[in-house]
Amino acid sequence: MTLRRVNVVILILLAVAFLIIVQRNLLNLSDFLHKENADARMILPFESELSPNTRLDLDRKGEEIPVLITASEDRLGAVIAAMNSVYQNSKANVIFTIVTTNDTADHLKLWLSRTKLKNVKHKIIVFNPDLLSGKISKDPKVAESSTPLTFARFYLPLFIPEAEKAIYLDDDVIVQGDIQELYETNLKAGHAAAFSDDCDSTLAKGIIRGAGNQNNYIGFLDFKKEAIKKLGMRANTCSFNPGVVIANLTEWKNQNITQQLEHWMELNIQEDLYSKTLAESITTPPLLIVFYKHHSSIDPLWHVRHLGTTGAGNRYSPQFVRAAKLLHWNGHYKPWGRVSSFPEVWDRWFIPDPTGKFHPVRRLQEPLDQLSPSLKSRVGH
């Protein structure tokens, strides 16, 4: 073979090798682009910090999950923490309906617009107190009379008219699970709502027993009254907690649930039907009557309650609290107050008020903790 032929063969081999290399690179590039397309919606952690406006928002498509929560001025920090926990722990397409008052709406708008919650889908509705005219007592001794927002859950179809299903949350909750799971709670045929039964665990019974039969109907209703007797309800029936509600709004409207609740509110004004053993609760009794043995149940881990009750927090282990999907500080002791159980869990989701108006009370008290016992007593700590 002549030298010229050898050179030609070498050139051909080099060309073939080059083509093979190019082909492999093109295949790798194709795989890479395919993967990029599949992961196009994924945003890396450092990218989320640099681009907060896009963090997780692109993933929030699909069925809307309406969540209603109320916002009063003195508890506005609680609303922010609750909303943040819901939003950060789920990629669901959550739409918040926030029911508030005229004097709080502007403060709420500023808080949302100046923090990382500015991209959360929400609508703010100002509660019309005329809805409750003639339905609740004006007695200043009844705490709930001065906080009409507690009755917003009675009017779910009014505030969320376009939805077939919705979630109501009290403001003193933290959601640690994916709200999609709670939303998918199965409601039995004909049931307009699901609640957490107060007898769903021995722990709940132990906590509540010392607070005056709060785990059954007799703790909320006066069974000596004729209107209550006529209902034929058993006084020892397990009550439920309406701080978390999953509502079938179609059934709610078909069964005129709001009108039924209003009837019992009006009748109570005339006949004083509610029990005096508790703190004059006027929100829970109408719900207990209307939904007597006609409601579905929520998974107990989706409503771990009594964190705001004396000594209750000590009955929960840190491991159990971490496993809980929703924590509720119902009771007198709130996580933004001076004393509460597991305040560090609430702190994780609280976003400081950019206006400087709201501060967790216990944070203002922290310097006092460094004082001697005698000095603490002098300043009323």
Side-chain angles (χ1 to χ4, degrees):
M1 183 180 294
T2 65
L3 180 61
R4 184 175 180 179
R5 288 183 178 178
V6 171
N7 289 339
V8 170
V9 171
I10 292 174
L11 287 173
I12 292 173
L13 292 175
L14 288 173
V16 171
F18 175 78
L19 291 174
I20 291 173
I21 293 171
V22 169
Q23 182 186 28
R24 288 181 176 177
N25 287 338
L26 287 174
L27 289 173
N28 290 337
L29 178 60
S30 176
D31 291 339
F32 175 77
L33 291 174
H34 179 75
K35 185 176 184 300
E36 282 293 293
N37 184 59
D39 295 341
R41 296 179 184 273
M42 184 179 72
I43 298 175
L44 298 176
F46 67 87
E47 291 174 325
S48 68
E49 294 300 321
L50 294 174
S51 307
N53 294 342
T54 61
R55 187 169 64 86
L56 294 180
D57 291 334
L58 294 177
D59 291 328
R60 296 177 187 273
K61 294 184 178 180
E63 182 182 6
E64 291 185 353
I65 297 181
V67 175
L68 186 141
I69 191 167
T70 60
S72 59
E73 184 66 25
D74 60 327
R75 297 163 66 109
L76 203 49
V79 178
I80 295 296
M83 290 177 61
N84 190 35
S85 69
V86 171
Y87 185 71
Q88 300 294 346
N89 286 314
S90 175
K91 291 186 179 181
N93 188 16
V94 180
I95 311 294
F96 290 99
T97 296
I98 311 166
V99 181
T100 188
T101 54
N102 272 318
D103 59 349
T104 301
D106 288 341
H107 187 186
L108 175 61
K109 289 175 184 176
L110 283 173
W111 204 329
L112 291 173
S113 65
R114 295 182 183 179
T115 65
K116 60 184 178 181
L117 294 181
K118 62 185 175 182
N119 294 308
V120 172
K121 295 178 183 177
H122 69 278
K123 58 181 177 180
I124 297 175
I125 297 177
V126 174
F127 187 82
N128 181 3
D130 291 342
L131 284 173
L132 303 179
S133 179
K135 301 180 182 69
I136 61 173
S137 170
K138 295 183 179 179
D139 185 351
K141 295 180 182 179
V142 181
E144 288 167 299
S145 297
S146 60
T147 54
L149 291 176
T150 61
F151 296 94
R153 73 199 86 182
F154 289 14
Y155 299 93
L156 282 168
L158 176 65
F159 297 130
I160 314 176
E162 69 283 358
E164 295 183 0
K165 191 176 183 182
I167 296 173
Y168 165 83
L169 297 177
D170 271 356
D171 59 6
D172 53 352
V173 306
I174 289 296
V175 176
Q176 300 186 134
D178 187 340
I179 199 75
Q180 179 87 40
E181 182 181 336
L182 179 63
Y183 183 73
E184 292 173 355
T185 295
N186 182 48
L187 273 67
K188 295 180 180 178
H191 285 183
F195 305 93
S196 292
D197 293 326
D198 282 325
C199 305
D200 60 12
S201 69
T202 55
L203 177 61
K205 291 180 181 178
I207 293 172
I208 299 172
R209 191 173 289 120
N213 292 321
Q214 290 187 37
N215 63 327
N216 55 37
Y217 270 53
I218 200 171
F220 293 89
L221 298 166
D222 187 347
F223 279 79
K224 296 179 182 179
K225 297 297 175 69
E226 193 62 28
I228 300 300
K229 287 182 179 180
K230 288 181 179 179
L231 294 173
M233 299 186 301
R234 297 184 61 178
N236 64 349
T237 300
C238 181
S239 59
F240 54 77
N241 186 298
V244 177
V245 184
I246 297 100
N248 180 329
L249 298 183
T250 301
E251 284 291 345
W252 193 291
K253 288 180 281 191
N254 289 341
Q255 297 178 31
N256 296 316
I257 296 296
T258 296
Q259 289 72 20
Q260 291 187 57
L261 293 169
E262 289 180 327
H263 166 74
W264 287 104
M265 293 166 71
E266 292 167 353
L267 198 60
N268 179 62
I269 295 293
Q270 303 168 23
E271 302 184 23
D272 196 20
L273 303 176
Y274 305 158
S275 174
K276 297 297 187 295
T277 61
L278 300 181
E280 297 290 341
S281 174
I282 59 176
T283 305
T284 303
L287 290 162
L288 292 177
I289 294 172
V290 172
F291 288 102
Y292 178 73
K293 292 190 175 181
H294 198 65
H295 68 276
S296 298
S297 297
I298 295 173
D299 180 341
L301 280 179
W302 266 107
H303 196 178
V304 174
R305 306 179 291 290
H306 315 300
L307 272 74
T309 306
T310 305
N314 296 330
R315 300 171 185 253
Y316 294 127
S317 70
Q319 293 79 10
F320 177 75
V321 168
R322 283 196 295 271
K325 296 178 181 180
L326 184 149
L327 300 168
H328 188 185
W329 279 265
N330 60 309
H332 295 295
Y333 304 100
K334 305 302 181 184
W336 59 89
R338 287 183 174 83
V339 180
S340 73
S341 301
F342 300 101
E344 69 282 358
V345 176
W346 186 85
D347 283 343
R348 192 176 304 146
W349 305 105
F350 174 66
I351 302 173
D353 183 0
T355 71
K357 294 179 182 178
F358 181 94
H359 297 280
V361 176
R362 57 188 161 72
R363 290 188 177 182
L364 298 178
Q365 300 294 321
E366 284 176 357
L368 296 177
D369 293 337
Q370 301 175 13
L371 301 177
S372 66
S374 60
L375 287 175
K376 286 182 183 179
S377 63
R378 291 178 190 176
V379 295
H381 184 63

